[in-house]
Amino acid sequence: MKSLIENARSFPDRVAERRQEFRVLAHGQQPEALFITCSDSRVVPTLITGARPGELFELRTAGNIVPPYDSDRPSGETATIEYAVRVLGVRDIVVCGHSHCGAVGALVSGTDLSAVPAVRGWLDHSVAGLPDDAGIPHAVRHHVVAQLDTLRGYPCVREALAEGTLALSAWYYEVDTGTVSVQRPGAGGAFVPL
């Protein structure tokens, strides 16, 4: 924690070096994309994409799970997605899964999660029937694509897709190599390097 505190203390000095950039940010945000990914500390969206402050609107959840839309029980995830699409007008939503994903690994292996009931309940939002015969990477990719299907159930996403103002993408990030691949529906749904 000490290094994090020291970094936070010196951050104003780094901001001062880029004062004009940060002054512009003080007037509002216009992110290019909503980037939905896992809470895993090894997955750093701005590092992966090279995004500068203000370019990505981020939503991080355990297992990069997108819960089903339910207007009667709004969640922080639902509010973030709706705000990104309707207020910020993002043109792209990326759902990015990753290698070595503990959440998907637990689902595939049937890990006993009784000691963490909130985690178990959250993972219930995931897809049923994740394939386990082809390994965790294949299951993660399958899971990411399923989250896009869940997103299509959000009224704001459905409307923006119909208007042609929004695109959805499924990404897979390999923690140990840094390789990012994207699902290409035209290639039979295969994931290919960006």
Side-chain angles (χ1 to χ4, degrees):
M1 188 68 187
K2 185 177 178 182
S3 66
L4 299 177
I5 291 170
E6 289 303 318
N7 242 343
R9 284 184 181 145
S10 66
F11 187 64
D13 296 333
R14 293 191 305 278
V15 168
E17 294 167 5
R18 297 167 38 194
R19 185 161 315 282
Q20 187 54 35
E21 177 184 352
F22 280 85
R23 280 189 180 142
V24 170
L25 292 173
H27 296 289
Q29 59 176 320
Q30 295 180 318
E32 296 176 30
L34 168 59
F35 198 91
I36 302 172
T37 195
C38 188
S39 305
D40 191 302
S41 63
R42 300 168 293 179
V43 180
V44 183
T46 55
L47 188 61
I48 295 167
T49 64
R52 310 267 308 161
E55 292 179 342
L56 278 185
F57 200 64
E58 295 181 30
L59 174 57
R60 298 184 63 146
T61 69
N64 53 264
I65 293 172
V66 175
Y69 183 82
D70 183 349
S71 61
D72 294 330
R73 298 182 61 129
S75 67
E77 296 82 18
T78 302
T80 298
I81 293 163
E82 189 173 77
Y83 188 82
V85 174
R86 288 220 166 117
V87 177
L88 297 176
V90 297
R91 309 251 331 146
D92 291 276
I93 298 178
V94 174
V95 179
C96 182
H98 66 95
S99 65
H100 310 91
C101 182
V104 173
L107 290 168
V108 168
S109 67
T111 300
D112 178 12
L113 299 173
S114 58
V116 284
V119 173
R120 184 185 62 228
W122 177 250
L123 294 181
D124 286 346
H125 288 300
S126 185
V127 332
L130 283 175
D132 60 356
D133 55 341
I136 300 293
H138 179 70
V140 170
R141 290 180 187 104
H142 178 83
H143 172 73
V144 169
V145 172
Q147 302 317 299
L148 294 184
D149 290 339
T150 302
L151 276 169
R152 289 182 185 98
Y154 280 60
C156 61
V157 171
R158 189 172 46 249
E159 291 164 12
L161 288 170
E163 293 167 0
T165 59
L166 182 67
L168 304 179
S169 300
W171 286 17
Y172 177 75
Y173 167 65
E174 294 179 21
V175 172
D176 51 328
T177 68
T179 301
V180 178
S181 54
V182 62
Q183 184 204 34
R184 295 279 186 226
F191 279 74
V192 297
L194 281 177

